[in-house]
Structure formats: structure tokens, C-alpha cells
Amino acid sequence: MRIVAISERTIPVSRYADPALPSGGLTTSLVTVTTDVWRGGHPVIGHGYASVGRFAQGGLIRERFAPRLLAVAGASLADEAGTTLDPFRAWAVMMNGEKPGGHGERCVAVGALDMAIWDAAAKIAGEPLAALLARRTGRPAPPDTVPVYAGGGYPYPAGDLDRLAGEIAHFANLGFTHAKIKIGADPECDARRIEVAARQLPGSAHLAVDAMNRFDLAGGLAAAAMLGPFGLWWFEDICDPHDFATQAAVAAAYPAPIAAGEALFSVAEARLLDRHGGLRRDRDILVFDPAHCYGLTGYCGIVETLTAAGWPREAFWPHGGHLFALHVVAGLGLGGAEVSPLAFAPFRGLADGARINGGRAPVPQAPGIGFELHGEAWRAFKADGA
Ligand code: MG
């Protein structure tokens, strides 16, 4: 069981529904992995993508990690029973010769390929990714729906408050009960954004805010003082992801839930956050992103490590959203998933026709991740001839 071809294409992604708005020049990698296994008269092809909040990883994929997968001979990528690809074995092949530390961008390159390999493995097994993932990790059969929230609320360059109100109202109309917006400007501006967004939801307890790692110690403490009275759902990405001292100092001054981990990429970094970040296991949220931290295979290691250290599975709400996260949450029994209803085309939203009900989204039931059920994403992948 072999991987016989891998392709990567770089595409632009945007934080806004309107891609004409400036969004930092973000790009991502679309990856297709073709296997030598045939189903229904066609080779099984897995699809994946890199981070939606960072940049594409074409160089590392083409020059370093794809050649290792393509060079492996014979059945060494099959699982024990020989029935499908083994993503854990494929991950070990990709990481062969890599030294510990220095995660840089390679974790995202590996993450994109890893997603496509899991997609292909579930397709070969003929089951949704959530089912394969639960089986491989010894978990119970996954639920058909998972809790979700709507991610978005990036600042608009003009007409910010009106457009923010419209965006969050749209989320509520779609059935989302919770949402997350960005903060990090001056406290007065942030407070106005929170008031406007919370008015579109059942209250500020249904709203999370994300500072995108912008604050220093003084800024983080000032924000914590401003945010406290709102009783928010959570306060995310306070400071530099490695500034555990600032993170811990803000946590000590902010009793409401904090979320962290989105920009940490390894088991070792997750341990450091747990030991030194001041997080509280009874209330705080872990937003590690499978596409950031060496893929789902690396993410499983973080979940295993932190749950063994006492964290509840419900604390994990993976950043990044989209169809992939629905499977990750269902398969591993985690708290819930982020969905970007408007941002980050072509991956935004749910499968075509899927609806939010009671704050929960359906997990796609096609074999694999189910990109085939999401017209916008599927057209992007098909543009590669996949
Ligand atoms: Mg974040």
C-alpha cells in the first residue's frame, strides 16, 4: 500500500467574506495524496490543507516531506491488518531524520500532508474520518453531531461596528449560539466591539474574544480588567505564545476562562504551557490546532499528554474549524469545534445543506473528511485535477 503521487498548490485565503479586504496576504497549501488503492474504478485520493491563518508550505512539502513518503517501498505504509494506510506510520516516515525542536514551519507542512493521509485512510476503510479516528485511538463510536461556535469578527477597515453587528447577527441566524471575535486594539474600542457582538447573541457569556497574541504584560492586564465585567465565554491568545510569565500573570488577575495553545506546535510546548502558563484545568480552554502541530497525529499526542496530566477532554476546542475539526472533535470526544461561516474560503462553513441545530453541527458521513460534500472546497481541490 503506497502513496504514488503528491501535489501541492498555494492559494490565497482571507479573513473576510469579501476577499478584496486586506487580510495580510495569507496563503495556504492545498495537498492531494494519491494512493495505489482503487475504489469504484478510481485511485483513492486524500485531500488536506495547511493552516488558514498563516502561510503556504509548498517548499517544505515538495522538497522534504513528500519525497520521503513517495520513496517508501512496498507495504510499509499499511496498518497492522493491511486494510488501509496507517497515518501513524506515514507520520514516522515524514519525520524520519528530523531533530527535536525547531518546529518553525515544518509542523504545518507535515500537518497538511497528515490531513490528506487521514482522509485517504478513512476513504480506503470506507468510513468517515471520525469513525476511523475513534477506532484507532480506542475511543467509543463518535457522535453524529458536535458542539460548534462561529469564528470571525475580524476588524473591518471601514464601518467596523455596523459590519460586525451584521456578521454576528448572520451567525445567530445560521443557528450558532456562541461566537468569537477579535480584540487587541485600545480597550475602549474593544469594549464597543464586545457590546455590539454580544447584543446579537443571548449575552456576553456566549461570546469569546481573541487577542491574537498581541498584548504585553501591561496590555494584557488592562484588557483583563476591561473584560472581567462582561463575563465572557473565554479570552484567547493573550500574549506571545511562549511568554508563559505574562500568560500566568494575566490568568492570576482574570478568573474567567482563558484559551491558549493555538500557536504552540508540539507535545513539549504543550507541557510548558501546562506547567508555566497559569491555566486552570477546571475552566480554561485548549485551542491547539491539528493543522499547526504536525497534523492530527501530532495533535493526538498533545491530547494524550494533557489528559494524562489531568485536563478534561472537554477543554479541547481545536482552532481552525472546518469539516476536518468536526471529525477530530467527534472522534476524540473533545469539547467542540470552531467553524468559520464567512472567513477562509474555500473551507468555510459546513457541508452543503448542513444546518446547525441547538449549537451543534453534523459530522459529514461520507468516507474520509467529506470535502466532496462541500462544493466550494471540492471545486478548489478539483482544480488540481484530483
Ligand atoms: Mg486564536
Side-chain angles (χ1 to χ4, degrees), residues 143-169:
D144 293 337
T145 64
V146 294
V148 291
Y149 71 93
Y154 289 89
Y156 290 94
D160 180 52
L161 292 179
D162 285 347
R163 298 184 80 171
L164 176 66
E167 182 180 336
I168 306 302

Side-chain angles (χ1 to χ4, degrees), residues 213-221 224 235 237-254 258 276-278:
N213 308 108
R214 285 175 177 158
F215 290 127
D216 59 12
L217 177 59
L221 290 172
F235 177 17
D237 294 339
I238 296 168
C239 57
D240 184 287
H242 290 113
D243 186 355
F244 300 120
T246 292
Q247 164 88 34
V250 174
Y254 187 77
I258 281 172
H276 305 295

Side-chain angles (χ1 to χ4, degrees), residues 180 182 210 212-213 236-237 262 287 319:
K180 183 172 79 184
K182 305 303 176 184
D210 182 347
M212 299 177 74
N213 308 108
E236 174 175 321
D237 294 339
E262 172 186 328
V287 288
H319 166 266

Side-chain angles (χ1 to χ4, degrees), residues 232-310:
L232 295 168
W233 195 29
W234 72 65
F235 177 17
E236 174 175 321
D237 294 339
I238 296 168
C239 57
D240 184 287
H242 290 113
D243 186 355
F244 300 120
T246 292
Q247 164 88 34
V250 174
Y254 187 77
I258 281 172
E262 172 186 328
L264 297 177
F265 302 140
S266 67
V267 170
E269 289 179 329
R271 281 201 193 100
L272 289 173
L273 174 68
D274 184 38
R275 285 181 191 156
H276 305 295
L279 296 183
R280 295 78 42 111
R281 291 170 186 164
D282 64 347
R283 77 198 82 160
D284 289 330
I285 302 296
L286 301 168
V287 288
F288 297 98
D289 183 332
H292 288 177
C293 43
Y294 295 97
L296 178 48
T297 305
Y299 185 78
C300 285
I302 291 175
V303 172
E304 193 177 324
T305 299
L306 292 188
T307 53

Side-chain angles (χ1 to χ4, degrees), residues 3-53:
I3 292 170
V4 296
I6 296 172
S7 71
E8 184 277 344
R9 184 164 60 97
T10 297
I11 62 167
V13 288
S14 173
R15 293 168 172 154
Y16 299 98
D18 176 1
L21 295 176
S23 186
L26 298 177
T27 57
T28 193
S29 291
L30 292 181
V31 171
T32 64
V33 168
T34 305
T35 72
D36 63 351
V37 179
W38 286 60
R39 293 282 185 271
H42 302 281
V44 174
I45 297 175
H47 301 282
Y49 54 84
S51 171
V52 292

